[in-house]
Amino acid sequence: MADDKDVLRDVWFGRIPTCFLLNQDEVTEREAEPYYLLLPRVSYLTLVTDKVKKHFHKVIRTDDAEEMWFEYEGTPLKWHYPIGVLFDLHASNTVLPWSITVHFKNFPERDLLHCPSHSVIEAHFMSSIKEADALKHKSQVVNDMQKKDHKQLWMGLQNDKFDQFWAMNRKLMEYPTEDGGFRFIPFRIYQTLSDRPFIQKQFRPVSPEGHVHTLGDLLKEVYPTPLQWLSEHLSHPDSFLHICVIPVPSD
Amino acid sequence: MPVSLLWAVDVYGRVYSLSTGGGLWEQCRDAHMEFKRVTAAQQCCWGIACDNNIYLNLHASDLPRWNPVDSFSDRLLPSDRWQWSDVTGLQHQPLDGFLLPSDSWEWEGDWHGWTYAIDFPAYYTKDKKWNSCVRRRRLLRYRKYRSMDTWAKVGQTVRVFVLVSPHSRRLSQILSATSATFSSCSVLSSFRSWTSFSKSLFFRSRRVFLFMDCSSWISTFSSSVSELRFFSSRTFGNLSFCCPILSFNAWNSFSKLLLFLTMRFIFIDICSSSGSQLGSLSASFWENFSSCSFNWTINCFTIFCELRCFSASSSFFCSTSFNFISIFESFSTSSLFSEGIYHLNPEGSEWEEVSLPGEVIQISCGPGDLVWAVLWEGQLLVWFRRGINSHNPCGSGWINMVGEMIMINVGLNDQVLAISSEDRAVYYRQGVTSSELSGKTWRAITVPRDGDRSHSSASASSLQSDVESERGSTDGAAGLVTSSSPESLVDAPQTNLSRPPASPKTAKDFQRGNSPAVLEEEPLAVEEDLKDPCAGVAIPPQDPQWCNVDLEEAQIQQTGVVLDSLDTCSLSSVATYTLAMEDPYGADERPLWAWVSGGGCNVDSHSQLNWFNSMNASSLVQSVQSMSLSVSPAQTAAWRRQIFEQLSERTKREMDDFRHYEQAIEQSVWVKKGTMQWWRDWKPYKWIDVHFALEQFSGAEGNKDGILFIYYNFYEEKKYLHAFVNDVTILVPVLNDSKHSFAIYTPERTKQRWPIRLSAATELEMQDWLALLSVSCCDSRGIQGPPSKQAAWSITCKGDIFVSEPSPMWGIGYDHTAWVHTGGYGGGFFQGLGSSTDNIYTQSDSKSVYIYENQRWNPVTGYTNRCLTGLWTTVCRGGRTETAGSMRLIFQRRLYHGHKTLKDFVRRRRWARKCKLTTTGPWQEVPPISLSDVTILPCAAQISVDVVPLWAISNKGDVLCRLGVSTQTPAGSSWLHVGTDQPFKSISIGAASQVWAIAKDGSAFYRGSLVPHPLPAKQKLKQVSVGRTSVYTVDENGNLWYRQGVTPSYPQGSSWEHISNNVRKVSVGPLDQVWIIADKVQGSHGLSCGTVCHRLGVQPMEPKGQSWDYGIGGGWDHITVRGNCMEPPRIRLPSLGGLASQSSFPVSTEANGNAVGC
């Protein structure tokens, strides 16, 4: 059987084939070609779509171009969710490639955060890591890191450098053996049919009686997967375990 | 799987063995010697006892494998026999000379007796007769033996085995079977001949080894190569180096057994720890070996060398470790690695040093791809030898392992055994498989020992009773061996030599006649041994009857199936009485192990071993599971498999059909790679080979960014350190004697005062890298074109100019040529930035170098290019002028380096040499007058046409004023001579056009008052710098002086106030910033000279400031911050316009005074 490390790689190198289409309403000088990309599941939309922006800037009047944002079937896509979460949450039943509509006008202020630069993403990413480490280690690990270590994490994500990222992230995933796991599992549960953005609670990997909590415990279902393992191996680079709850397709 | 043995020595020197099929440590009762080391092969075990002699124990269990008929094949005999005879003939003389009176020699002398014993029948006396008797192959084999015997007899080497072993004084490990005796005899005797005599003999001896090996082992395998080598030792003065042999390994590689008995001389030269001379032979070494003291516990130096050769496909591998047990100091050990050991050249061709992360005290190689080593601190390393091929037989890297061990041993199948430093228990590495060579976890071997008396006596009684009854059964084989062991040494050869296997009846006879037989045989040789009170065992006179018995026994062993209970440890009947002596150690206390050898222990990862008690095992399982969170295995498998499947399904679904899509994140970064050497960060500091890579990629908002990677091996684990290019503050070429090196600073490393120091193979390579890195740094900071106007400029001792935020300026060369900065950027090897290459001109400079007798380098060697370079450039390290992030130094260009045209002038004792270089740079010569100092009024020009006051001192000491200097025409138009009474050497112009100058007599003058302002105590001033209101001078003794009482109404001030010492140069900026080049600044590794320092706390009301902020030293010679009109600390004012600046190239400096750690 494959090694657990392979899981890390599989998670990291997960890609979603995506087709970016310019919104019909955009005023263009000529017809915009769709743009195809393999998006890293673990990254953020605005971090990896500079090419998309450049592509569509060619055909729209740059004067008209405001901040770029994305929408899928009417839902504005929150760039601060990992791409994989967005896909699983909104489009897991879609036919690939995933068709995302690109907008340069009418920024949905109520739904989306502005993302003027990559440094905003970095700030968001690092705050996620810090929040997660507060749950996992009372922030001890992340606080012990130097600035350049933080930068290494971010650069690893930004440049899709698995080894560079994990060289540092490894520290964030360690825990004292006697504890049997993190203090709390940093997780977020997203639900399609919910108004809440996501559920986040303090949840320990091991019960007071010493039982290992499983995903099933968490979801009140019967997935016998230890949460700790999930958190160690399936977490996104922001250290959170993002769980999407999707209704079973009716057909 | 056949049963095999694991050997170990406890801290009392007792030898135990543990069968793979058993659950009990069995003590070698016959080992009356205390042992220090053992090393085992499958068929035997070698040991070093406390008398520093080597003992061999052949396992009875191995005998069945040895088929005498097959082993002595035709293939070997025809040539070997005669060769062997020749050897015998040749060795008569040397062997006589060999008999040394030392203790160490005695046992060898005793061998001789053994030979006699073997030789008892007249049957063998003559070759011809013997030949004729040999009608079968088997007889041929005997002839072999006989030859050996003969030879041994001459050398008097064999008797010890027979006689001494019963006394258990010399031979602690009993050779338990006939064939074993033969082989060991041959081994040892030939070994002697090899070691003691010439090389030609060595080769003959090697044949002996071959023969021996064939006789004992090779029959089991299809082909064989064998080599026996010994470590020897050498005594250096008082220091004894003992390098006992301990390598003996056998393994099966690609269905061929390649057997290497490896012994090797290593001449260790204490004078140079790295200077191991290998491979040569000397007659003296053997003597040294035998006579040197090898007292393991109190020796000053004891070097234990273990060497193993083993094969992996076609390449063979040797490693040794030097074990320095020292009460003085241990010098660094190195692991040596022999390349090119192969079939025809078993001693290898050369040794190659393998880099090690620390001092290795012990190392062990497995037959496969593993090398384990124990570091001085008990840390464990695994050295994977993956990817072995002819190019990389050294393997790939070290990996630090969990566990603190005092020794480690890699056995057959790469199974690893170790002794923990904490509890001295023997640990077995579990989970070593070919796919996971490092294994999973340590598992303590917790079997009890057979330490009690009853057990021993039982075995002793079995000696008496069991032999007969069990004869013929497999167990009986063991019993026989046990009972007859001492004598069997004698018997075995006898029987083998004399005749084919006898019947059980003769065996009985043997049993009866056992004791008397030996005694009679041994009178001469045993003399000394007989005196030994321990010789309580009756030494029986030898009786031919025996041989039958023993032969029978041997036959049983040869044919019978050897089972697990068979062990050689309980062989000796003498165990019964020796037990009492050993009892005081306390048999029931927990064993404390000192040494373990798994070379004969044939287990693999699938072996079911009874060595671990159940509690242990279960806890282990638990611990293993706890790693995967103690979910039940089934569950583990289920959910893990599910996740794996889902992931791979996902991959298939989402990626397989879309691989042609463009990746969102470009992986194609621009990379330049190379190899360099890196001055590593930890002790012992040294240059190590690294891979260096610069990765450049488009950064977040489009600017290029980059990362430097330095890939190195740490404990042979591949690691890297990296620096972000936009963190790099300066790249400084550092020339030292032998390296083309440069240093990379980041803010963090400046704080640590420990830059990344790299060295390229060639100067050209270094320049390429520097140029590339410079461009990369500039790219990442968005720097293009000429420097801006808030600049700090500085010059290293080498003449490299560094600038942070540059501006137009003047400079002076070593030859006093005046140069004006053109505003370009680049030159030399540095091709510059796109927009600034227009203004690059050819520059040349020359410098006379004088060598006096008392200078530190030898004039003779000094005239090599290298030394010249060293003098010319001295040793430089980058300084840094960054403070609070407001400024940065950017490597701009190197002015002085490269091509030199040299002339030698020899005048009496003074040697002069003129250096010249030609390079390019953004500097334009200002002819014709040579200058020694120049100064520009800072912050003068508000607009580009404003004329900037520029004063200079000519080479002769005249004061000059340059007319027409503006930012548009920085070179000005003409010189105006300013009349003076005396020659000057330094000048500075400050705010409000105040001009200060230093006369050649060392006094300071203020322009406007012709009165000199000398220093107290008649110290001579050397340099002056004037800022807005501050006037600073430096005297010839390196003191920094501040002019007190300077006011607008009384600009010449009142007195000099001492500020600081050890100052080389001062530069006062237009805002009264004070920057100096300081010497003797405490760095992280000693004092550094030529450090850029910045005065902190300079305020309008406190112009002297408070303290120094030290940049990293050293190597700076000159700095000027006079172009820097930026208000500190944070407010970035726009440029105040036409800034002027001053720079002077060093005229004469203590060129060698700043070699700090570079």
Side-chain angles (χ1 to χ4, degrees), chain A residues 72-91:
Chain A
Y72 171 71
E73 292 186 348
T75 312
L77 296 174
K78 295 181 169 61
W79 63 261
H80 61 284
Y81 289 0
I83 291 168
V85 172
L86 292 173
F87 176 78
D88 292 338
L89 192 61
H90 302 301

Side-chain angles (χ1 to χ4, degrees), chain B residues 176-235:
Chain B
S176 55
T178 57
S179 62
T181 310
F182 280 120
S183 60
S184 62
C185 286
S186 61
V187 169
L188 289 175
S189 54
S190 54
F191 161 58
R192 282 191 60 206
S193 68
W194 168 56
T195 53
S196 36
F197 305 118
S198 70
K199 199 152 191 170
S200 59
L201 270 179
F202 160 66
F203 287 111
R204 282 203 194 89
S205 301
R206 199 157 67 195
R207 289 181 187 270
V208 175
F209 301 141
L210 275 168
F211 167 65
M212 181 278 297
D213 293 329
C214 293
S215 70
S216 58
W217 303 1
I218 299 309
S219 59
T220 351
F221 304 97
S222 57
S223 78
S224 76
V225 179
S226 73
E227 179 57 27
L228 186 64
R229 300 189 203 175
F230 267 69
F231 276 104
S232 186
S233 64
R234 184 173 196 174
T235 305

Side-chain angles (χ1 to χ4, degrees), chain B residues 977-1039:
Chain B
H977 193 275
V978 181
T980 56
D981 297 341
Q982 55 180 321
F984 282 77
K985 61 182 178 185
S986 173
I987 194 164
S988 181
I989 180 168
S993 297
Q994 39 178 342
V995 178
W996 285 76
I998 307 292
K1000 279 201 172 167
D1001 66 3
S1003 53
F1005 284 85
Y1006 172 68
R1007 177 88 179 152
S1009 72
L1010 289 176
V1011 186
H1013 303 283
L1015 273 178
K1018 295 183 179 175
Q1019 297 191 66
K1020 288 189 172 181
L1021 293 171
K1022 158 174 102 169
Q1023 190 230 335
V1024 63
S1025 186
V1026 187
R1028 188 162 57 191
T1029 58
S1030 299
V1031 179
Y1032 281 87
T1033 56
V1034 177
D1035 71 21
E1036 289 179 347
N1037 296 320
N1039 295 303

Side-chain angles (χ1 to χ4, degrees), chain A residues 207-239:
Chain A
S207 72
E209 298 81 34
H211 297 303
V212 172
H213 275 147
T214 63
L215 182 60
D217 294 324
L218 182 63
L219 300 180
K220 299 277 187 287
E221 291 178 27
V222 207
Y223 294 122
T225 307
L227 263 188
Q228 176 66 31
W229 190 93
L230 286 175
S231 184
E232 279 176 61
H233 295 92
L234 296 186
S235 288
H236 273 258
D238 64 3
S239 286

